[in-house]
Amino acid sequence: MAKGYWIARVDIRDPERYKDYVAAAKPAFEKYGASFLARGGQFQRLEGAVRARNVIIEFPSLQAAVDCYNSPAYQIAAAIRQEAADAEMVVVEGV
């Protein structure tokens, strides 16, 4: 079974409030088997627009990645994130 990945590009507007998002999202990530492969850190722009923070999260499957995002627990966290940051997020299936 192919793994699933969240790819998120984020600009944080309110760092203190973003900490609340991180704490609120943790139970959903644990429940759905999330493993962080990249969380912020240095990057180099190669093409196109960029955001300040880039995150890649691996899940056991594409369905687990989608289920995590749609879970009630994560949706509470997402509302906090949307108050504190601007982001683009996609879910992709691994090879």
Side-chain angles (χ1 to χ4, degrees):
M1 175 182 302
K3 294 186 178 189
Y5 297 86
W6 283 16
I7 301 173
R9 299 172 48 240
V10 183
D11 284 332
I12 299 170
R13 294 187 316 271
D14 183 342
E16 289 305 311
R17 185 69 171 138
Y18 196 80
K19 290 177 187 177
D20 296 335
Y21 158 71
V22 171
K26 186 176 180 181
F29 291 146
E30 289 174 350
K31 179 178 179 179
Y32 291 95
S35 177
F36 284 81
L37 302 181
R39 186 185 318 187
Q42 293 184 35
F43 68 92
Q44 291 186 355
R45 178 191 169 278
L46 300 176
E47 293 184 29
V50 297
R51 291 201 180 262
R53 185 173 178 85
N54 299 285
V55 181
I56 302 172
I57 308 171
E58 181 181 74
F59 290 84
S61 67
L62 181 67
Q63 191 61 55
V66 171
D67 289 347
C68 181
Y69 182 83
N70 290 323
S71 70
Y74 185 76
Q75 286 303 302
I76 291 168
I80 297 169
R81 178 182 42 78
Q82 291 161 359
E83 292 174 7
D86 297 313
E88 288 95 29
M89 296 175 58
V90 296
V91 176
V92 297
E93 184 176 40
V95 295

